[in-house]
Amino acid sequence: MPLGALVVATGLGIVAAFGGFGDAPDKPPKQLGPGASLDQEQFLTKFVESRSTVEPGSFGAPGKRFVEIEMEVTNKGDATTRVGLPNDKGGDSPFFAGSLLKMTPEIKSEYGPTASASAEGVESNQLQPGMATRVVIKYELPDGQRAPERVRMDIGTFEFSAEGIILVPGWHLVTEDEDGSAKPPLTVAAQVTLPVQPKGTSG
């Protein structure tokens, strides 16, 4: 076989192995760790650390144990928005924590995770434009469940829709391109793995 034909045949074979010209594999999520930052279009997020903490009980009651995720979030938009809560429904969200799509291992508690935010010493649930804000997501550990050695978080990203038939104008979570799907899955832009550091007593 002539060399040119061999090169073409080899190239076609590689393309076929990946499903053809129109079906190349999707770009895999970025793999990030402690201290890494992710541009989510609406927000710039730095993943600071994960830690296990204990809040002492009162009047002899047992303490509560938590896994906390700390991030530094900068609102890149021009309007104030809320922190919100992690996304446990797989639906759209205009709020920052809605982009926290999944945590592995999953920590289930009666009331779900909580979120707090502080900027320049002021506690709030809001993210002001252009201001770096400390955001902490807390997961209460059920009785008997130990804190994991590490957690991995699936993180989504946002896009702005100026107008549309279905979407309300504003920021929306990016979804996978699936023709005909009434509820396409949300795009995982990054997977962030954080070791869970023991930090002792808090509160």
Side-chain angles (χ1 to χ4, degrees):
M1 179 182 293
L3 179 60
L6 179 60
V7 171
V8 172
T10 302
L12 290 173
I14 293 172
V15 171
F18 284 102
F21 287 100
D23 299 313
D26 294 332
K27 185 177 179 181
K30 296 178 181 178
Q31 300 298 313
L32 304 177
S37 295
L38 177 66
D39 187 348
Q40 297 179 274
E41 298 300 330
Q42 186 181 7
F43 306 102
L44 178 63
T45 303
K46 179 180 180 180
F47 300 93
V48 179
E49 68 172 5
S50 176
R51 54 185 176 259
S52 61
T53 60
V54 178
E55 292 183 1
S58 57
F59 305 106
K64 295 181 178 181
R65 299 172 305 119
F66 297 88
V67 169
E68 299 181 351
I69 311 294
E70 181 178 341
M71 294 157 285
E72 183 182 276
V73 182
T74 302
N75 178 2
K76 296 172 59 181
D78 55 8
T80 300
T81 185
R82 298 211 319 257
V83 173
L85 290 173
N87 196 330
D88 61 352
K89 306 296 185 192
D92 192 19
S93 172
F95 306 128
F96 163 73
S99 67
L100 309 181
L101 307 181
K102 179 182 178 181
M103 189 171 79
T104 305
E106 184 179 16
I107 298 176
K108 291 185 176 182
S109 59
E110 183 177 0
Y111 301 106
T114 62
S116 63
S118 61
E120 298 181 352
V122 178
E123 296 287 335
S124 173
N125 67 350
Q126 296 182 330
L127 298 171
Q128 304 292 342
M131 182 178 293
T133 302
R134 176 180 178 265
V135 172
V136 176
I137 308 294
K138 295 177 65 172
Y139 297 82
E140 184 176 354
L141 288 163
D143 291 341
Q145 182 175 337
R146 299 178 62 181
E149 292 183 0
R150 63 184 57 82
V151 293
R152 188 188 73 195
M153 304 187 72
D154 290 3
I155 311 296
T157 190
F158 296 85
E159 62 185 354
F160 189 84
S161 174
E163 59 182 18
I165 299 175
I166 299 177
L167 295 178
V168 175
W171 289 100
H172 297 271
L173 288 169
V174 176
T175 61
E176 300 290 345
D177 293 328
E178 290 196 359
D179 295 336
S181 175
K183 188 180 178 181
L186 299 172
T187 298
V188 178
Q191 293 180 319
V192 182
T193 301
L194 302 172
V196 179
Q197 306 288 347
K199 293 292 184 179
T201 301
S202 67

